Each structure stands twice: as C-alpha cells, then as structure tokens.
Amino acid sequence: MLSPVLLLIILLAVILFKLLSNAFKRKKFSAEASARGCANLPVLPRKGFLGLGRLSEISKANKEGRSPQWFIEKFDETGKDVHTFTASALDYELIVTRDPENAKAMFSTQSKDFEISPHRRDIWSPLLGDGIFTAQGEQWKHSRQLLRPQFSRNQISDLDLEEEHIQSLLNLAVLESGEKGWTKKVDLAPLFLNFTLDVATEFLYGRSVNSQSIHNKSISNQGSGLDSGFSYHLDAGKSWLYTKGLFGRWNRLVHSPQLTKHCKEVHRFVDELVAGRLNGTTKSSAQSDRFCLLNELAKSTQNPLELRNETLQILNAGRDTTGALLGWVFYFLARNDRVFNKLRGIIITDFGRDRTGEITFEKLKQCQYLNHCIQEILRVASVVPMNERVCTSDTTLPRGGGEDKLQPVFLRKGQRVLISNHAMQHRADLWGLDVDEFKPERWEKRIPGFEFVPFAAGPRKCIGPEQFALTETAYVIIRFLQRFDKIENSEEPGPPFFHYIFSNRSGTGVQVRLHEADR
Ligand code: HEM
Ligand SMILES: *[C@@H]1O[C@H](CO)[C@@H](O)[C@H](O)[C@H]1NC(C)=O
Ligand SMILES: *[C@@H]1O[C@H](CO)[C@@H](O)[C@H](O)[C@H]1NC(C)=O
Ligand SMILES: *[C@@H]1O[C@H](CO)[C@@H](O)[C@H](O)[C@H]1NC(C)=O
Ligand SMILES: *[C@@H]1O[C@H](CO)[C@@H](O)[C@H](O)[C@H]1NC(C)=O
Ligand SMILES: *[C@@H]1O[C@H](CO)[C@@H](O)[C@H](O)[C@H]1NC(C)=O
C-alpha cells in the first residue's frame, strides 16, 4: 500500500509535469508560429467549469434544431469581423472557420496537409463498411479511382430511371386531390426519401427496393424478391450511427444489440445481390441495358466485401442528401408564392404541361431559373451544414489571425478544423444584406467561389452532384410543378428547424397541401 503522503506527492508531480510540458509546448508553438509569420486566432471565451458550458450550449442548440445558427452566433460573440476562431473544452481544442480562403486551402490548394476525420470511419463503418467516404490515404485513392469514372459516364444520363420512380411517387394515394382539387395535408419529406431510395437501389444494384410501391397491391414487390425490411434496417441502423456521431471521439462507447441486428440485415440484403451478380444468376429486373453500378464495379473487382462496402457508401452519401434537398425545395416553395409561380411558368414553357413533355439533360442544363432555385436552396438550407478536416502535419491556414484577423495562422498536426458551410453561406458581407431571404435571382449575376461549396471541392469533392443529385432534384420539381399549380404550407410560421439527422432535416417534415392544375 502506498502511503497517502506519497500518493499526494506523485499526484502533484504529475500535475506539475503536465503544466510544464504544456507551457513548453505552447512556447514551441508560438516560436514556430512566428517563424512562419503567423499570428494567433481570436478565442471564443471559455464558459463554465473546464469549458463544459459550451458543450451544453451546443447540445441545447442541437435539440432546438438550431446548431448551424449557433455557430454563426459564436463567430459574432468572439468579435467583430471574426471568421475563424478557436474554442476549447476540457483539454480539447477546435478551430471553426467561415472564411472562403481557408476553405479553399483545406479542400484544394493545401489539401495534402488535411485529411477527413478518423472518427468518420469509426462511426459509419459498422453499417456501411469502409470505402470511398470513410477511407484515407492510399485506400481512399483506390476507392476513388474505382468509382469516379463511373460517374462521368453517359450511361448515368438515363433519365427513364427517374421517370419510372417519379410516376410511382405521383401515383401515391396521399397525392390524390379531393375537394376543389386540393390534396389533404401531406408530409412530403418521407415520400422523397422513399423515392430517392428506390432510384438509388435501382442505380446501384439494378433492382429497386420499390419502397413506394408497398402500398400498391398490383406491384407489392412480387417477382423482384426484394425485402422491404431493407429500408427499415438501413434507416434504423443509421439513426444509431448518428447517436454515435454525437459522441464524437467517444463514439466507441455507443453499442447496442439492435445496431448489430440492423447491420446484419442490411449486409445480408446486399450480400445476396452481390453474390447473385458474381455467380451470374441475378439479372437486372429492369431493362438489362440500363446502367447499374454493381455490374460495372464487378468488372474491376470480384471481392464481395469490397462490392458491398462501396455500394453501401454510395447509397449512404447519395440517398438521404438528395432526399433532404428535395424536402427543402418544397419547404421553401410552399413559403414563397412568387418563386413558385415564376418557376412553374418557366417549367411549363420549357417542358410542357405534362409528362409527354420530354426532359433531357440539355434542356435541364439550359433551364437557368430552375438551377438557380436549386442552388439557392442549397445556400439557405445547407444540406451539409458542416464539414471537417484534421491536419496531417504542422501547417498553416491563410487567414484569421492577429489584430486585423487577416494574418495566417499556424496549425499543429492532429488539430481539427470545422468548416461551417452554413455560416459561410449566411455572411452578409459576402452575400448582401438580403442574405437570409430565399431569392433565386441572386444567382443571375454570381459565379460562386469557395464561399459556396455545398459539395465540397478539391480531390474529395462529392462525386454525385451534376449527373445525379441535381438532375434527380430538377426532374422531381418539373413533374410536380406540371401537375400541381399551387402549394400551401400547413405548418406554423417560424424559423426552419435543422435536425442533425439528414433524413429528418426539417424536423417536422414538409407539411403541405397541393392543388391539382386543370388539364
Ligand atoms: C444534395 C445532394 C448531395 C450533397 C449536398 C452532397 C454533399 C457532399 C459533400 C459536402 C461531400 C464532401 C465530404 C467531405 O468533404 O468530406 C460529399 C462527398 C461524397 N458524395 Fe456527395 N452529396 C450529395 C449527393 C451525392 C450523390 C447523389 C452521390 C452518389 C450517387 C454522392 C456521393 C458522394 C461520395 C462518394 C462522396 C465521397 C467522395 C470522397 O471522399 O472521395 N453524393 N458529398
Ligand atoms: C469492408 O468494411 C469493413 C468494415 O465494416 C472492413 O473491415 C473491411 O476490411 C472492408 N473490406 C473491404 C474489402 O473493403
Ligand atoms: C400500381 O401499379 C400499377 C403497375 O405499375 C400502376 O399501373 C398503377 O397506376 C399503380 N397504382 C397506384 C395506386 O399506385
Ligand atoms: C416508405 O417505404 C416504406 C417501405 O416500403 C413504407 O413502409 C412506408 O410506408 C413508406 N413511407 C411513406 C410515407 O409512404
Ligand atoms: C448464386 O448466389 C445466390 C445468392 O446468394 C444463391 O442463392 C444461388 O444459390 C447461387 N447460385 C449458384 C449457382 O451458386
Ligand atoms: C424528427 O425530428 C423531430 C424533432 O426532433 C422529432 O419529433 C421527430 O420524431 C423526428 N422524426 C423522425 C421520423 O425521426
């Protein structure tokens, strides 16, 4: 047994050592920083015991659906014209930026000094495997080289894929109009998520889970052999992963037999499709000349685990994001009659009044106002409000330090930097005093730089936006606005609620009533 006195001495020695070594590190840091011509960042004042006050602030903001706005408030709280600050709680330090110059450095010009956070793999891989979205270094390069070419191919331009599933969506009983041509109140958010799941599974595996047809007796998945339990297990599994995400670097503490079960079911489902493809017994249910990612990948690799991992990662990256974007589109249209009417007029001119009007890639590209509306949605209601990078070596950021907050800053290897897209997209000095308004016209005279990177930029830029997410979104908007000539918001007025789960981004859904146009 150690005597209490000895114990006390050891404890004091440890504390003294810690203090000295921290002071030493700080000194070395300052010396190195000034050698590189760097200045200190403004500091968000610590709050509460050990700085924990900030943690409870953010968790409260998160519950209230306003965590993206909370970050804006923190920039302003730190000081005037602060666009990059440092904050700490316990012994943990974090840098947050809304400076396009810094985003450019991290994503693009200095991307070799930055990596995605290692927590990403810890959090997502139990359900979705390890692949392009979670991998780093050589492993990521391999995944990217495998997948990227598939997304620039013309095969993806197959718009029949959208048409078939949008018809299932428009055929849903909840979109049938009744009295005076109005539908009952309907929540569009989950409808869009089922739609994007159906499109994504067909694109990935050549066979759609047809989640939208579950209510249609005459299809009801017969013949396709696909288990509709997939979407349930996928969503339930993902909501566990979001819980893990909230725990950050302590995410490994979150365990559950339920999560294990959801993972098993999702894997079983995908493994069967992969095995069928590899032994040649599964044919695509739809036209077999249609593009299907699994078929293409199987030409390069026969590793069933790799095929499972990469396809699930694409499903994860592409489905909820596009579904959430569609939700926000109708959320804002339902609150902006002027934009709705203008957009509808343009759509009818360009694409006709009904589905006989052909939609082509060329025509989509040329429909400027439609594209401006989608961009403006991505700006006001950031689908991905926050991104993150970790330094892989000692490095610098170009801006944010010193009195004028314009000096470069020094970063140590391992430091975390959050890029707040939402805050960057809501800076009045960059966007004008009408920054909080939903105003697609602002894009008429604007070529976005790094203040607008909804799909990130540089080597790890999203691989799905042009050919996939934006096309799919535009397509749905066109078919909806051809059929409905009015949309009415059924929710109480108030600021948007930003839920931390993608698939539930607007918190209360997108509650509207739609009015069927005369034909
Ligand atoms: C509105 C829809 C979408 C948004 C807002 C979005 C946004 C993003 C962002 C911000 C990143 C970068 C993450 C980072 O910097 O670490 C990313 C990466 C990625 N996205 Fe998207 N995305 C969307 C749709 C899609 C779709 C439809 C697909 C595929 C079909 C897709 C596939 C990917 C992949 C594979 C990556 C990882 C790329 C890499 O790390 O090399 N995304 N996305
Ligand atoms: C697939 O992901 C799992 C993690 O869930 C990982 O252990 C495995 O090595 C990955 N396999 C391949 C071939 O990428
Ligand atoms: C059900 O599916 C059939 C076959 O695709 C389709 O013709 C019909 O319109 C659908 N009915 C409803 C209510 O979705
Ligand atoms: C979405 O699909 C699932 C699975 O088919 C189904 O149970 C659910 O009712 C669908 N949601 C809506 C809102 O139609
Ligand atoms: C091919 O794979 C499927 C799905 O796992 C399996 O049911 C079937 O028995 C396999 N067929 C052959 C010939 O191995
Ligand atoms: C979405 O978020 C709201 C607010 O937290 C919650 O009440 C609701 O149950 C959530 N819905 C889903 C489908 O997760």
Side-chain angles (χ1 to χ4, degrees), residues 266-501:
V266 167
H267 295 167
R268 191 178 57 75
F269 174 89
V270 176
D271 289 347
E272 206 161 294
L273 289 167
V274 168
R277 173 62 188 75
L278 289 178
N279 72 19
T281 52
T282 312
K283 293 270 182 300
S284 301
S285 62
Q287 300 94 313
S288 51
D289 57 345
R290 188 176 273 176
F291 179 92
C292 147
L293 190 71
L294 178 59
N295 284 349
E296 297 305 315
L297 296 183
K299 291 174 189 164
S300 313
T301 172
Q302 274 78 52
N303 179 344
L305 259 185
E306 189 174 8
L307 291 169
R308 179 222 275 172
N309 288 358
E310 298 293 1
T311 54
L312 275 175
Q313 294 239 327
I314 299 283
L315 182 62
N316 182 45
R319 184 262 183 141
D320 292 356
T321 44
T322 312
L325 173 58
L326 274 166
W328 284 125
V329 167
F330 286 86
Y331 180 100
F332 279 91
L333 287 180
R335 288 159 175 79
N336 291 274
D337 284 347
R338 180 191 69 82
V339 176
F340 180 90
N341 291 330
K342 179 170 172 185
L343 179 60
R344 182 164 194 273
I346 289 170
I347 283 176
I348 301 241
T349 308
D350 286 10
F351 300 96
R353 291 191 171 271
D354 57 37
R355 60 184 286 199
T356 57
E358 202 196 359
I359 302 180
T360 63
F361 255 97
E362 276 313 300
K363 282 168 82 179
L364 285 178
K365 220 183 258 161
Q366 280 159 14
C367 192
Q368 275 210 359
Y369 195 63
L370 176 57
N371 294 320
H372 291 165
C373 285
I374 298 173
Q375 270 185 301
E376 182 67 350
I377 295 291
L378 285 165
R379 187 190 70 80
V380 288
S382 356
V383 172
V384 180
M386 189 72 93
N387 209 327
E388 181 184 21
R389 288 293 187 265
V390 173
C391 305
T392 52
S393 57
D394 289 356
T395 184
T396 58
L397 279 180
R399 233 157 52 174
E403 279 295 299
D404 61 1
K405 293 139 196 145
L406 294 172
Q407 304 309 308
V409 294
F410 181 59
L411 304 181
R412 236 174 298 126
K413 179 179 174 180
Q415 263 191 308
R416 285 173 71 203
V417 187
L418 299 184
I419 305 152
S420 173
N421 282 330
H422 188 85
M424 209 152 66
Q425 292 165 188
H426 285 83
R427 273 179 61 176
D429 60 331
L430 298 179
W431 297 91
L433 292 174
D434 58 359
V435 67
D436 291 323
E437 272 172 58
F438 171 64
K439 201 169 161 191
E441 287 77 8
R442 75 173 76 245
W443 291 95
E444 280 163 13
K445 39 190 187 314
R446 188 172 191 107
I447 299 162
F450 278 82
E451 75 280 15
F452 184 69
V453 281
F455 300 104
R460 287 200 86 136
K461 188 182 173 193
C462 179
I463 62 176
E466 288 84 10
Q467 301 279 11
F468 216 96
L470 298 176
T471 308
E472 195 167 339
T473 303
Y475 207 100
V476 173
I477 298 173
I478 292 169
R479 288 291 184 245
F480 258 78
L481 267 56
Q482 285 175 327
R483 170 151 162 208
F484 300 107
D485 62 359
K486 287 187 199 114
I487 182 168
E488 184 190 89
N489 166 34
S490 307
E491 286 172 274
E492 294 293 317
F497 183 107
F498 286 93
H499 201 272
Y500 65 97
I501 294 186

Side-chain angles (χ1 to χ4, degrees), residues 99-142:
D99 187 332
E101 282 302 312
N102 291 342
K104 179 177 171 187
M106 277 184 278
F107 286 140
S108 187
T109 46
Q110 288 166 236
S111 65
K112 64 171 190 358
D113 295 342
F114 296 91
E115 254 297 2
I116 59 162
S117 156
H119 302 320
R120 200 186 275 185
R121 170 186 286 152
D122 298 346
I123 291 164
W124 296 102
S125 72
L127 181 68
L128 304 160
D130 201 3
I132 184 167
F133 187 69
T134 50
Q136 304 196 352
E138 285 305 309
Q139 193 202 345
W140 165 77
K141 247 183 221 156
H142 170 80

